Amino acid sequence: MGSLLSILRPKIGDALPDINRTNHTPVDESDSEYESCFEDDANHNTIVSKSQHSLGQSSTFISESLKSVKLKTPTKYHYNDMSKKKNGFLLPEQTHSVIEGSVMEETSVSSSSEESDSEPLTLGGDPCLSSTAWEIDVGSDLKKSAQKSSKTKFRRSARESQEKSQGPDLSGLTNEILAERKVLDLRRWHCISRPQYKKSCGLSSVVSVWNYLYSNLGTGTLPPITQEAALHCLGFKPPFEEIRFGPFTGNATLMRWFRRLNERYGVHGRAYYLYKPKGRLQTRTMTDESAITQLKNGLVDEKMGFIYHCLNHYFCPIGYEDTPLNPTEAYLPTHAFTSIPERDSTEALTCTTPCTTWFFIGEPSRCHPPIHCKKWCDILQDLHSESPYYFDIRQTHRGVQERKTKKKGRNLHCIIAFKKIESLKTAKYKKIGS
């Protein structure tokens, strides 16, 4: 390429006065061709026409030569002054392109608005080889506007969340209001006979209920009785650890023991099925809704006690809590809850009440926690199961299970209620005094 330019430059001469390229050698004024041009005015026009003709041939040769030259991608752009801007764009001072190992420098400085609006020059028709490189300035104005908008949205969302976080007005909240949905009589828990003898959960539960109803440990006036005293009263003899309670303990057995203890200590009461939806002696007039209502009312009443018969075990409900489904209703009474449909974890029953009811159940066995906390839906799942399927309320994570048995369609599980009745003498004295 250098040899080609050295041949053409003497021929072009003063016809290209504006071209300024590197490796350009000045024209020797002592050349005979140029001396003859200025000595003979007659032949001046002829020489100029020859020069123009040679210039045309040279430009044609240069264009053909450039086509055959293999161009490489520009390796790097150099900006002399990044601070110079024109209509929001950065204008580069120089670009360098590599052509067959030699460096060709091209200067492009835009000084007028017309030149800045024109299209950039290209080499060989390739836009990537543009002599003028344009770069959009992502200025700080866009960043500032984005930051302002994000700050405004954040402040608005923070203000709205703060207003929602205030919750309902609790100025009139009292312990009496919360006691309507959070019921736990510690006297019921204190009367739980724990630990029990082996398989004596039924007898221990009867002693627990009787002490709450009639002893001064609960709501009565008599001294509390022990499991051993109750066993003596019922006709059992020591050693009590060797008694096999399992084969002869049932729902009717517990009711009979309660009546015998009342006769022995001179008190009155009655025992009956509160809710038994399956098997023999069903409570056909009782529904799930009426059963939970009576159970709640009974746990508030000091004259009522309950025993829950579950899978091979007896224990005593002692309290409950109505938990709302909406977090903003944590301190509201039950009647102010919002009704939201909810499906139980077992997906066997659907609870449409505005809350989830949890029952506290006192445990006489030392092998389990002293108090169980079970959902009403899980209790219903246990009561409504029929053989060969069963549901262990003390191990709900196992779900509904199936046993191998020939007896089908039976279920002994139920909730038994025990009620204290005032004696006839006390009732007469109250009637006369009134």
Side-chain angles (χ1 to χ4, degrees), residues 273-328:
Y273 289 107
L274 175 70
Y275 192 44
K276 191 176 186 298
K278 300 296 181 178
R280 295 177 60 249
L281 304 176
Q282 299 181 19
T283 53
R284 300 182 183 277
T285 59
M286 187 73 66
T287 61
D288 295 344
E289 292 75 13
S290 58
I292 189 176
T293 301
Q294 292 194 21
L295 182 58
K296 287 181 177 180
N297 296 335
L299 290 173
V300 177
D301 190 357
E302 295 181 351
K303 298 180 181 180
M304 293 291 296
F306 301 94
I307 294 178
Y308 173 24
H309 182 195
C310 63
L311 181 64
N312 299 326
H313 192 61
Y314 290 95
F315 48 4
C316 305
I318 59 176
Y320 70 91
E321 176 185 329
D322 290 333
T323 303
L325 305 180
N326 192 343
T328 60

Side-chain angles (χ1 to χ4, degrees), residues 349-361:
L349 296 172
T350 303
C351 302
T352 57
T353 57
C355 62
T356 302
T357 303
W358 297 78
F359 282 94
F360 311 134
I361 308 174

Side-chain angles (χ1 to χ4, degrees), residues 380-399:
L380 291 180
Q381 181 66 52
D382 176 30
L383 298 179
H384 284 274
S385 298
E386 292 185 285
S387 182
Y389 303 100
Y390 66 96
F391 183 77
D392 190 354
I393 193 63
R394 293 192 294 175
Q395 297 179 358
T396 56
H397 61 279
R398 295 185 177 182

Side-chain angles (χ1 to χ4, degrees), residues 214-380:
Y214 302 105
S215 73
N216 52 19
L217 192 60
T219 61
T221 57
L222 299 177
I225 63 174
T226 62
Q227 299 179 80
E228 293 76 18
L231 288 172
H232 277 289
C233 179
L234 297 174
F236 295 97
K237 296 180 181 180
F240 302 119
E241 296 85 357
E242 298 180 359
I243 300 176
R244 298 181 60 191
F245 293 94
F248 59 83
T249 302
N251 299 330
T253 306
L254 268 58
M255 298 181 188
R256 184 171 65 251
W257 286 347
F258 179 74
R259 289 194 297 266
R260 292 182 63 178
L261 289 175
N262 289 343
E263 294 174 358
R264 167 64 177 81
Y265 291 97
V267 292
H268 300 274
R270 60 184 295 255
Y272 59 95
Y273 289 107
L274 175 70
Y275 192 44
K276 191 176 186 298
K278 300 296 181 178
R280 295 177 60 249
L281 304 176
Q282 299 181 19
T283 53
R284 300 182 183 277
T285 59
M286 187 73 66
T287 61
D288 295 344
E289 292 75 13
S290 58
I292 189 176
T293 301
Q294 292 194 21
L295 182 58
K296 287 181 177 180
N297 296 335
L299 290 173
V300 177
D301 190 357
E302 295 181 351
K303 298 180 181 180
M304 293 291 296
F306 301 94
I307 294 178
Y308 173 24
H309 182 195
C310 63
L311 181 64
N312 299 326
H313 192 61
Y314 290 95
F315 48 4
C316 305
I318 59 176
Y320 70 91
E321 176 185 329
D322 290 333
T323 303
L325 305 180
N326 192 343
T328 60
E329 301 172 353
Y331 292 99
L332 296 182
T334 307
H335 60 80
F337 291 166
T338 304
S339 180
I340 301 176
E342 180 189 21
R343 180 169 290 276
D344 186 59
S345 59
T346 60
E347 296 190 2
L349 296 172
T350 303
C351 302
T352 57
T353 57
C355 62
T356 302
T357 303
W358 297 78
F359 282 94
F360 311 134
I361 308 174
E363 174 63 77
S365 174
R366 60 180 176 85
C367 299
H368 291 268
I371 296 179
H372 295 276
C373 190
K374 300 300 179 181
K375 288 183 179 180
W376 175 245
C377 290
D378 291 338
I379 297 175
L380 291 180

Side-chain angles (χ1 to χ4, degrees), residues 57-75:
Q57 292 178 353
S58 300
S59 61
T60 305
F61 179 74
I62 291 171
S63 62
E64 293 177 355
S65 300
L66 290 175
K67 291 181 180 180
S68 63
V69 173
K70 296 180 180 180
L71 300 180
K72 296 182 179 180
T73 306
T75 58

